[in-house]
Amino acid sequence: MGGPKRRDDPQSAVRKNRQFWEKGSEEYERKHRHVLGGTRAKSWGLWRVLERELQILGEVRNQDVLELGCGAARWSLALEAEGARVVGFDLSRAHLDHARKERARLRSHLPLVQGSADRLPFGGARFDVVFCDWGAMTFCDPYRTVPECARVLRPGGRLVFSTASPVRHLTYDPRSDRQTRTLRHDYFGQHRLEFPDTVDYQLTYGAWVQLFVENGFSIERLHETRPAPGARTPYLSSNDNAWGRRWPLECIWRVRKGAGPHVPKRAHVRKWAR
Ligand SMILES: C[S@@+](CC[C@H](N)C(=O)[O-])C[C@H]1O[C@@H](n2cnc3c(N)ncnc32)[C@H](O)[C@@H]1O
């Protein structure tokens, strides 16, 4: 069975994703804003699990925080309101326009920066926390983003992000756009996942662990979201909700940069197939 296509041209992925998010931002907001804002601004993933319950990002007061792929910046604005110094960062001008509207509504001066997470326009050791909720860590090559996160984090800083689990793609049927009960794709060799409109990235669990460790991170948590029975989300069909009760569809990583002298190279890219 065919696995993901193996191509290694990260800039073509960034271009394709930028095009998608510029065009798709309005529709994304229309479909999802009701589960993203207000009391759910600080919640995670497809089922919007509250940070208050998970406690995976942790305390941010008086800390420098970067959100990678902030969309309309609801998370960033909520953290700023708690006393963090936050920068919202996103590839898409259209998404950042939504963020500007949210910022104006809340009379905030949150800095918003446009760019791609595989080449961050920030100096080294600038942040205490880098995080995202299905943001750039899903859509950008981890062999580029993880070293970049390590570079901009201070020693002891944390990287926290939600994304698909490495199991999700294995049974995905692109024709129906649904999870199935049949193994359709290889587990080994996961990297660039080419979809009609976007490029996603995924690694095996072993490759994620190796990448974190090589970039000076230690792994503190891997939360595998399991939805409550009957839980619903506008991101998934009821079939995929039921699938997510049985197998891990999404995960949230928390890794911490060591206090040691490890200095990652800028955009240090490794050959991904191993
Ligand atoms: C699924 S949306 C999630 C946005 C936000 N976290 C939310 O929940 O509303 C993914 C976001 O990642 C951004 N993104 C995709 N690729 C990126 C990249 N290479 N660098 C920075 N942001 C990126 C998109 O523009 C989009 O805003």
Side-chain angles (χ1 to χ4, degrees):
M1 304 300 273
K5 278 188 197 152
R6 298 181 173 198
R7 289 175 47 197
D8 196 7
D9 173 11
Q11 287 320 304
S12 72
V14 172
R15 276 196 302 276
K16 185 168 172 177
N17 286 336
R18 182 182 288 132
Q19 219 169 31
F20 174 78
W21 289 109
E22 294 299 9
K23 266 203 231 144
S25 154
E26 207 54 52
E27 191 187 346
Y28 180 84
E29 277 292 306
R30 188 172 48 71
K31 276 193 185 162
H32 304 302
R33 64 158 66 95
H34 66 289
V35 295
L36 293 171
T39 53
R40 301 212 197 153
K42 277 179 49 189
S43 55
W44 291 100
L46 303 168
W47 291 281
R48 313 310 299 150
V49 185
L50 293 171
E51 165 63 14
R52 199 172 57 231
E53 287 164 19
L54 274 188
Q55 301 279 321
I56 196 160
L57 187 70
E59 178 63 50
V60 293
R61 200 179 312 265
N62 291 322
Q63 298 191 5
D64 291 301
V65 178
L66 172 65
E67 182 174 6
L68 280 188
C70 62
R74 294 183 178 91
W75 254 105
S76 287
L77 287 160
L79 297 181
E80 185 189 51
E82 286 182 1
R85 296 176 293 274
V86 193
V87 177
F89 182 83
D90 203 283
L91 182 63
S92 149
R93 179 185 295 266
H95 262 310
L96 289 175
D97 284 344
H98 287 291
R100 277 184 269 276
K101 281 184 204 145
E102 286 295 307
R103 180 177 69 177
R105 194 173 65 75
L106 297 172
R107 297 171 195 272
S108 151
H109 298 286
L110 179 84
L112 293 168
V113 178
Q114 188 179 7
S116 179
D118 60 351
R119 198 165 175 84
L120 293 172
F122 306 105
R126 160 80 173 75
F127 296 99
D128 303 297
V129 180
V130 177
F131 84 102
C132 62
D133 183 28
W134 283 83
M137 297 301 292
T138 304
F139 300 101
C140 211
D141 188 344
Y143 287 108
R144 291 179 166 259
T145 51
V146 171
E148 276 296 79
C149 292
R151 184 181 65 78
V152 301
L153 275 169
R154 297 185 177 123
R158 57 205 192 272
L159 166 63
V160 187
F161 63 96
S162 65
T163 188
S165 86
V167 173
R168 181 186 190 181
H169 194 62
L170 307 186
T171 65
Y172 175 73
D173 174 14
R175 272 172 306 184
S176 62
D177 187 26
R178 293 275 188 276
Q179 296 301 131
T180 68
R181 268 71 169 163
T182 309
L183 285 174
R184 290 168 184 268
H185 304 280
D186 293 350
Y187 174 76
F188 293 111
Q190 292 192 76
H191 181 236
R192 175 174 172 139
L193 308 180
E194 196 79 39
F195 296 107
D197 298 325
T198 60
V199 177
D200 293 14
Y201 284 90
Q202 188 55 269
L203 302 177
T204 64
Y205 287 106
W208 276 115
V209 169
Q210 190 176 344
L211 182 60
F212 291 137
V213 170
E214 281 177 354
N215 283 281
F217 287 106
S218 57
I219 296 160
E220 290 189 340
R221 265 175 87 177
L222 174 59
H223 175 81
E224 298 178 294
T225 316
R226 188 179 191 205
R232 299 179 65 155
T233 159
Y235 291 99
L236 296 177
S237 68
S238 54
N239 165 76
D240 288 2
N241 263 308
W243 194 98
R245 282 282 302 158
R246 298 187 63 191
W247 298 282
L249 213 156
E250 154 183 287
C251 59
I252 311 177
W253 291 93
R254 184 173 77 198
V255 299
R256 191 174 295 276
K257 183 175 166 179
H262 180 88
V263 183
K265 290 181 195 139
R266 187 179 178 108
H268 167 64
V269 185
R270 293 178 57 92
K271 283 268 173 254
W272 58 271
R274 54 190 77 231

Coordinates of all heavy atoms in Angstrom, one line a residue, residues 4 6 142-143 164-167 170 186-193 201-212 219 222 251 253 272-274:
P4 N 3.0 7.9 2.4 CA 3.1 9.3 2.0 C 4.2 9.4 0.9 O 5.1 8.7 0.9 CB 3.5 10.0 3.3 CG 4.1 9.0 4.1 CD 3.5 7.7 3.8
R6 N 7.4 10.7 -0.9 CA 8.6 11.1 -0.3 C 9.2 12.2 -1.1 O 9.8 12.0 -2.1 CB 9.6 10.0 -0.2 CG 9.1 8.9 0.7 CD 10.0 7.8 0.8 NE 9.5 6.8 1.9 CZ 10.3 5.9 2.4 NH1 11.6 5.8 2.1 NH2 9.8 5.1 3.3
P142 N 9.4 19.1 10.7 CA 9.9 19.1 12.0 C 11.4 19.1 12.0 O 12.1 19.5 13.0 CB 9.4 17.9 12.6 CG 8.7 17.1 11.6 CD 8.5 18.0 10.4
Y143 N 12.1 18.6 11.0 CA 13.6 18.7 10.9 C 14.1 20.1 10.8 O 15.2 20.4 10.9 CB 14.1 17.7 9.8 CG 13.9 16.3 10.2 CD1 13.0 15.5 9.6 CD2 14.7 15.7 11.3 CE1 12.8 14.2 10.0 CE2 14.6 14.4 11.6 CZ 13.6 13.6 11.0 OH 13.5 12.3 11.4
A164 N -1.5 15.8 15.0 CA -2.0 14.5 14.8 C -1.0 13.5 15.4 O 0.1 13.7 15.6 CB -2.1 14.2 13.3
S165 N -1.6 12.3 15.8 CA -0.7 11.3 16.3 C 0.0 10.5 15.1 O -0.6 10.5 14.0 CB -1.5 10.3 17.1 OG -2.0 9.3 16.3
P166 N 1.1 9.9 15.4 CA 1.7 9.2 14.3 C 0.9 8.0 13.8 O 1.3 7.3 12.8 CB 3.1 8.7 14.9 CG 3.3 9.7 16.0 CD 2.0 10.0 16.6
V167 N -0.2 7.7 14.5 CA -1.0 6.5 14.1 C -2.1 7.0 13.2 O -2.6 6.2 12.4 CB -1.7 5.9 15.4 CG1 -2.7 4.8 15.1 CG2 -0.6 5.3 16.3
L170 N -2.1 6.1 9.3 CA -2.0 4.7 8.9 C -3.3 4.2 8.3 O -3.3 3.4 7.3 CB -1.6 3.8 10.0 CG -0.3 4.3 10.8 CD1 0.1 3.2 11.8 CD2 0.8 4.6 9.8
D186 N 2.2 3.1 5.2 CA 3.3 2.6 6.0 C 3.4 3.5 7.3 O 3.2 4.7 7.2 CB 4.6 2.7 5.2 CG 4.6 1.8 4.1 OD1 3.7 0.9 4.0 OD2 5.6 1.9 3.2
Y187 N 3.9 2.9 8.4 CA 4.2 3.6 9.6 C 5.6 4.2 9.4 O 5.9 5.4 9.6 CB 4.1 2.7 10.8 CG 4.6 3.3 12.1 CD1 3.9 4.3 12.8 CD2 5.9 3.0 12.6 CE1 4.3 4.8 13.9 CE2 6.3 3.6 13.8 CZ 5.6 4.5 14.4 OH 6.0 5.1 15.6
F188 N 6.6 3.3 9.0 CA 8.0 3.7 8.9 C 8.1 4.7 7.7 O 7.4 4.5 6.7 CB 8.9 2.5 8.7 CG 8.9 1.7 10.0 CD1 8.4 0.4 10.0 CD2 9.5 2.2 11.2 CE1 8.4 -0.3 11.2 CE2 9.5 1.5 12.3 CZ 9.0 0.2 12.4
G189 N 9.0 5.7 7.8 CA 9.2 6.6 6.7 C 8.2 7.7 6.7 O 8.3 8.6 5.8
Q190 N 7.3 7.9 7.7 CA 6.4 9.0 7.7 C 7.2 10.3 7.8 O 8.1 10.4 8.6 CB 5.5 9.0 8.9 CG 4.5 7.9 8.9 CD 3.5 8.1 10.0 OE1 2.6 8.9 9.9 NE2 3.6 7.4 11.1
H191 N 6.9 11.2 6.9 CA 7.5 12.5 7.0 C 6.6 13.5 6.3 O 5.7 14.1 7.0 CB 8.9 12.5 6.3 CG 9.6 13.8 6.4 ND1 10.0 14.5 5.3 CD2 9.9 14.6 7.4 CE1 10.6 15.6 5.6 NE2 10.6 15.7 6.9
R192 N 6.7 13.7 5.0 CA 5.9 14.7 4.3 C 4.6 14.0 3.9 O 4.7 13.0 3.1 CB 6.7 15.3 3.1 CG 5.9 16.2 2.3 CD 6.8 16.8 1.2 NE 6.0 17.6 0.3 CZ 6.3 18.7 -0.3 NH1 7.4 19.3 0.1 NH2 5.5 19.3 -1.1
L193 N 3.5 14.5 4.3 CA 2.2 13.9 3.9 C 1.5 14.8 2.9 O 1.1 15.9 3.3 CB 1.3 13.6 5.1 CG 1.9 12.8 6.3 CD1 0.9 12.7 7.4 CD2 2.4 11.5 5.8
Y201 N 3.1 17.3 8.1 CA 4.3 16.5 8.4 C 4.0 15.6 9.6 O 3.2 16.0 10.5 CB 5.4 17.4 8.7 CG 6.0 18.1 7.5 CD1 5.5 19.3 7.0 CD2 7.0 17.4 6.8 CE1 6.1 19.8 5.8 CE2 7.6 18.0 5.6 CZ 7.1 19.1 5.2 OH 7.6 19.7 4.0
Q202 N 4.6 14.4 9.6 CA 4.5 13.5 10.7 C 5.7 12.6 10.7 O 6.3 12.4 9.7 CB 3.2 12.6 10.5 CG 2.9 11.8 11.7 CD 2.7 12.5 13.0 OE1 3.7 12.7 13.7 NE2 1.5 13.0 13.3
L203 N 6.1 12.2 11.9 CA 7.2 11.3 12.1 C 6.7 10.1 12.9 O 5.7 10.2 13.6 CB 8.4 12.0 12.9 CG 8.9 13.3 12.3 CD1 10.0 13.9 13.2 CD2 9.5 13.0 10.9
T204 N 7.5 9.0 12.9 CA 7.2 7.9 13.8 C 7.5 8.4 15.3 O 8.3 9.4 15.4 CB 8.1 6.7 13.5 OG1 9.5 7.1 13.8 CG2 8.0 6.2 12.1
Y205 N 7.0 7.7 16.2 CA 7.3 8.1 17.6 C 8.8 8.1 17.9 O 9.4 9.0 18.5 CB 6.7 7.1 18.6 CG 5.2 7.3 18.7 CD1 4.3 6.4 18.1 CD2 4.6 8.4 19.4 CE1 2.9 6.6 18.2 CE2 3.2 8.6 19.4 CZ 2.4 7.7 18.9 OH 1.0 7.9 18.9
G206 N 9.5 7.1 17.3 CA 10.9 7.0 17.5 C 11.7 8.1 16.9 O 12.6 8.7 17.5
A207 N 11.2 8.6 15.7 CA 11.9 9.7 15.0 C 11.7 11.0 15.8 O 12.6 11.8 15.9 CB 11.4 9.8 13.6
W208 N 10.5 11.2 16.3 CA 10.2 12.4 17.1 C 11.2 12.4 18.3 O 11.8 13.4 18.6 CB 8.8 12.4 17.7 CG 7.7 13.0 16.7 CD1 6.7 12.3 16.2 CD2 7.6 14.3 16.2 NE1 5.9 13.1 15.4 CE2 6.4 14.4 15.4 CE3 8.3 15.5 16.4 CZ2 6.0 15.5 14.8 CZ3 7.9 16.7 15.8 CH2 6.7 16.7 15.0
V209 N 11.2 11.3 19.0 CA 12.1 11.2 20.3 C 13.5 11.5 19.9 O 14.2 12.4 20.5 CB 11.9 9.8 20.9 CG1 13.0 9.7 22.0 CG2 10.5 9.7 21.5
Q210 N 14.0 10.9 18.8 CA 15.4 11.1 18.4 C 15.6 12.6 18.1 O 16.6 13.2 18.4 CB 15.7 10.2 17.2 CG 17.2 10.2 16.9 CD 17.6 9.3 15.8 OE1 16.8 8.4 15.5 NE2 18.8 9.5 15.3
L211 N 14.7 13.2 17.4 CA 14.8 14.6 16.9 C 14.9 15.5 18.2 O 15.7 16.5 18.2 CB 13.7 15.0 16.0 CG 13.7 16.4 15.4 CD1 14.9 16.6 14.6 CD2 12.4 16.6 14.6
F212 N 14.0 15.3 19.1 CA 14.0 16.1 20.3 C 15.3 16.0 21.1 O 15.9 17.0 21.4 CB 12.8 15.7 21.3 CG 11.5 16.0 20.8 CD1 10.4 15.1 20.9 CD2 11.2 17.3 20.2 CE1 9.1 15.4 20.4 CE2 9.9 17.6 19.7 CZ 8.9 16.6 19.8
I219 N 11.9 14.9 27.1 CA 10.5 14.8 26.9 C 9.8 14.7 28.3 O 10.2 13.9 29.1 CB 10.2 13.5 26.1 CG1 10.8 13.7 24.7 CG2 8.7 13.3 26.0 CD1 11.0 12.4 23.9
L222 N 3.6 13.3 27.0 CA 2.9 13.0 25.7 C 1.5 12.7 26.0 O 1.2 11.6 26.4 CB 3.6 11.9 24.9 CG 2.9 11.5 23.6 CD1 2.8 12.6 22.6 CD2 3.7 10.3 23.0
C251 N -2.2 14.1 19.5 CA -1.3 14.0 20.7 C -0.8 15.4 21.0 O -0.8 16.3 20.1 CB -0.2 13.0 20.6 SG 0.9 13.3 19.2
W253 N 2.6 17.1 22.8 CA 3.9 16.9 23.3 C 4.3 18.1 24.2 O 4.0 19.3 23.8 CB 4.9 16.9 22.2 CG 4.9 15.7 21.2 CD1 4.2 15.7 20.0 CD2 5.6 14.5 21.3 NE1 4.5 14.4 19.4 CE2 5.3 13.7 20.2 CE3 6.5 14.0 22.3 CZ2 5.8 12.4 20.0 CZ3 7.0 12.7 22.1 CH2 6.7 11.9 21.0
W272 N 15.6 12.8 6.4 CA 14.5 12.3 7.2 C 14.3 10.8 7.1 O 13.9 10.2 8.1 CB 13.2 13.0 6.8 CG 12.9 12.8 5.3 CD1 13.3 13.6 4.3 CD2 12.1 11.7 4.8 NE1 12.8 13.0 3.1 CE2 12.1 11.9 3.4 CE3 11.5 10.6 5.4 CZ2 11.4 11.0 2.6 CZ3 10.8 9.8 4.5 CH2 10.8 10.0 3.2
A273 N 14.7 10.2 6.0 CA 14.4 8.8 5.9 C 15.4 7.9 6.7 O 16.6 8.1 6.4 CB 14.4 8.4 4.4
R274 N 14.9 7.2 7.6 CA 15.9 6.4 8.4 C 15.1 5.2 8.9 O 13.9 5.2 8.9 CB 16.5 7.1 9.5 CG 15.4 7.8 10.4 CD 16.0 8.7 11.4 NE 16.3 10.0 10.8 CZ 17.5 10.6 10.9 NH1 18.4 10.0 11.6 NH2 17.7 11.8 10.4

